[in-house]
């Protein structure tokens, strides 16, 4: 038997219905914030993700699905959404003459070679959004507001935004130097990965899972102490805006995020101090890194799978329709044609309708009525049909009525 791959799963049944509900909620809030939908290809040139996300990041070093196609091209399965959206932005020259920001959202499958565990998979979905063209801190606030309110609309009222600032490149470089200076004497007390990170990406030491409780990490210099004047005042303005909008946030000075492209604002969304449900921030250098003209950008991506898990764990009521409107039963084969066209007619009029496709006995069809949890059932028999009549029965009250066949749609419209 061929089974699914580790870290992947099938989406069907109730999970598919829950996802459809979450999709609707998220698409509708994005519409209110005036973000348009985008989907980028599942595979792109490896260079895009390697350079965009950063060669020294864990994602590129350990997690990307890199392969050569039959034409010997180096390709990578999309591990995150931002780099592809930036490629689209540059390729379509959307940077020219920007009088308004370009705002897009996506809902896409991502691929990372990670150790699968609850809420972490190798194929997973991210819902995310990106805003290009504005360097005003108001756009950081708008992105945080969209992320925050999306979770609340989904019923996760207790989410907190963990917030930090890495400052501009000058502040980030000063901080990086301080960190290297600080960690160097302690190098042998850090895990192997952190020893490597000290050379390649010292900021990442701060969110090492292995050394998380190590006092060396806890006492490390904090980003906010190394922000230059402009970066500091920007961060203060952002906090003011979040206060004004009543957004629940906490400063987390160890939050650096795993990808290389961030500067200034970085944030994550957490529930009950558990793992991150989503994360994002500002990436003013990324368009340039990917060969476009210098353009500011800010965005966020939600771990979709983790969000649905969190909704389930927190007993959020996810509306799932587990009933159908009407089941058409037929007494004998001679009524099948009527069942067939009537089912289509009902469906085209907006009802969820079922009929028997398995040549079951009438008794077994009645069992299907209950299995499908039908609100109404209609029994078709030749004697009634000759007079253009059918019997409609309310499956809950068990009340039944004989009506004209042509009035079925109106009848159900009035009763459902
Ligand atoms: P990220 O933090 O790598 O950021 O991913 C965002 C979210 O995706 C995470 O917080 C997590 O909930 C979810 N996630 C990540 N890996 C997995 C996995 N293996 N299984 C399930 N869920 C996962 C980014 O990807 C950035 N592109 C976010 C961004 C957008 N920054 C600016 N714009």
């Amino acid at each position: 038997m061929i089974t699914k791959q580790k870290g992947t799963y099938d989406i069907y049944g109730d999970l598919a219905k829950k996802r459809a509900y979450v999709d609707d909620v998220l698409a509708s809030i994005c519409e209110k914030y005036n973000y348009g939908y985008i989907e980028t290809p599942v595979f792109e040139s490896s260079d895009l993700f390697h350079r965009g996300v950063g060669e020294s990041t864990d994602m590129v070093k350990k997690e990307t699905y890199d392969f050569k196609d039959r034409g010997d091209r180096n390709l990578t399965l999309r591990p995150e959404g931002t780099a592809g959206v930036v490629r689209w932005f540059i390729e379509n020259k959307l940077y020219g003459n920007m009088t308004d920001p370009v705002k897009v959202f996506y809902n896409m499958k991502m691929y990372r070679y990670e150790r699968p565990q609850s809420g972490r998979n190798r194929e997973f979905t991210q819902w995310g959004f990106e805003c290009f063209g504005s360097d005003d801190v108001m756009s950081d606030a708008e992105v945080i507001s969209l992320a925050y309110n999306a979770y609340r609309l989904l019923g996760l009222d207790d989410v907190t935004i963990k917030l930090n600032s890495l400052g501009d490149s000058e502040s980030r470089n000063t901080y990086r130097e301080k960190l290297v200076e600080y960690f160097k004497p302690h190098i042998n007390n850090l895990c192997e990965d952190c020893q490597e990170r000290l050379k390649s990406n010292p900021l990442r030491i701060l969110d090492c899972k292995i050394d998380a409780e190590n006092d060396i990490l806890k006492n490390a210099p904090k980003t906010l102490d190394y922000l230059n004047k402009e970066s500091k005042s920007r961060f203060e303005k952002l906090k003011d805006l979040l206060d004004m909008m009543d957004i629940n946030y906490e400063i987390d000075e160890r939050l650096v995020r795993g990808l290389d492209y961030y500067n200034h604002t970085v944030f994550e969304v957490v529930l009950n101090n558990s793992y991150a449900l989503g994360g994002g921030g500002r990436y003013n250098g990324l368009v340039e890194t990917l060969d476009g003209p210098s353009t500011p950008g800010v965005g966020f991506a939600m771990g979709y799978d983790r969000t649905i898990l969190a909704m389930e764990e927190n007993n959020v009521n996810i509306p799932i329709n587990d009933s159908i409107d009407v089941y058409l039963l037929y007494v004998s084969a001679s009524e099948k044609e009527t069942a067939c066209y009537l089912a289509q007619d009902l469906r085209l009029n907006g009802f969820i309708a079922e009929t028997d496709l398995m040549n079951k006995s009438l008794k077994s069809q009645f069992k299907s009525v209950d299995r499908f949890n039908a609100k109404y059932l209609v029994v078709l028999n030749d004697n009634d049909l000759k007079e253009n009549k059918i019997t409609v029965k309310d499956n809950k009250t068990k009340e039944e009525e004989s009506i004209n066949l042509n009035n079925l749609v109106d009848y159900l419209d009035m009763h459902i």
Side-chain angles (χ1 to χ4, degrees), residues 46-325:
S46 296
D47 199 30
L48 172 69
F49 295 119
H50 287 209
R51 198 139 52 91
V53 173
E55 295 286 359
S56 69
T57 57
D58 282 358
M59 192 195 291
V60 171
K61 278 170 55 185
K62 300 182 191 163
E63 296 167 5
T64 45
Y65 279 88
D66 301 321
F67 61 100
K68 269 193 197 295
D69 75 358
R70 289 167 197 259
D72 219 26
R73 298 172 189 89
N74 291 314
L75 302 175
T76 295
L77 293 186
R78 186 178 55 211
E80 61 99 51
T82 314
V85 174
V86 169
R87 194 262 315 130
W88 159 82
F89 176 83
I90 298 169
E91 199 169 345
N92 290 285
K93 299 193 171 51
L94 300 177
Y95 43 77
N97 201 13
M98 288 188 82
T99 42
D100 292 303
V102 171
K103 305 202 291 190
V104 285
F105 80 99
Y106 47 84
N107 188 345
M108 302 193 291
K109 288 274 175 71
M110 306 293 166
Y111 300 85
R112 296 187 195 174
Y113 192 80
E114 292 200 74
R115 201 162 48 81
Q117 50 188 277
S118 166
R120 177 176 301 174
N121 291 291
R122 291 184 175 170
E123 181 185 65
F124 62 99
T125 302
Q126 271 187 356
W127 169 75
F129 47 90
E130 315 291 347
C131 169
F132 297 98
S134 169
D135 195 26
D136 194 302
V137 74
M138 233 170 105
S139 57
D140 305 49
E142 183 179 283
V143 160
I144 294 176
S145 149
L146 172 49
Y148 181 70
N149 289 311
Y151 287 101
R152 289 167 60 83
L153 268 185
L154 289 173
L156 295 169
D157 295 329
D158 292 334
V159 288
T160 307
I161 304 287
K162 297 259 182 190
L163 184 68
N164 196 14
S165 172
L166 304 175
D168 57 12
S169 52
E170 184 189 79
S171 312
R172 200 179 150 139
N173 287 341
T174 319
Y175 179 62
R176 194 189 146 103
E177 279 166 24
K178 280 283 160 214
L179 269 189
V180 174
E181 206 176 283
Y182 170 81
F183 280 125
K184 241 184 191 158
H186 303 292
I187 183 90
N188 293 330
N189 298 322
L190 298 174
C191 75
E192 247 174 58
D193 276 351
C194 283
Q195 295 183 7
E196 168 60 31
R197 284 177 189 132
L198 187 63
K199 285 179 239 143
S200 59
N201 199 348
L203 265 68
R204 282 309 311 273
I205 298 177
L206 295 175
D207 64 3
C208 172
K209 303 285 173 291
I210 301 170
D211 284 329
E213 293 308 315
N214 190 330
D215 281 344
I216 302 170
L217 254 71
K218 287 185 181 163
N219 300 327
K222 310 276 189 274
T223 52
L224 297 182
D225 295 332
Y226 295 91
L227 296 185
N228 59 18
K229 204 166 154 222
E230 199 210 321
S231 302
K232 204 172 264 173
S233 100
R234 192 190 165 93
F235 191 55
E236 291 306 315
K237 265 190 221 141
L238 175 61
K239 290 193 291 178
D240 287 346
L241 291 172
L242 299 184
D243 287 335
M244 289 266 296
M245 290 191 288
D246 254 342
I247 290 175
N248 181 23
Y249 68 90
E250 265 171 26
I251 307 297
D252 178 352
E253 293 194 72
R254 266 170 66 180
L255 181 69
V256 288
R257 308 265 306 127
L259 323 179
D260 267 359
Y261 48 61
Y262 293 111
N263 43 43
H264 290 298
T265 311
V266 281
F267 70 101
E268 284 187 349
V269 181
V270 295
L271 185 69
N272 313 327
N273 269 322
S274 172
Y275 53 46
L277 293 179
R282 178 162 285 283
Y283 47 84
N284 284 354
L286 185 57
V287 176
E288 241 176 325
T289 303
L290 295 172
D291 306 328
S294 165
T295 310
V298 57
F300 169 81
M302 167 193 283
Y304 196 96
D305 318 61
R306 291 183 185 185
T307 301
I308 291 187
L309 260 181
M311 289 168 78
E312 289 170 345
E313 282 166 13
N314 288 273
N315 299 319
V316 171
N317 178 29
I318 308 178
I320 292 182
N321 182 16
D322 61 356
S323 64
I324 66 168
D325 294 320

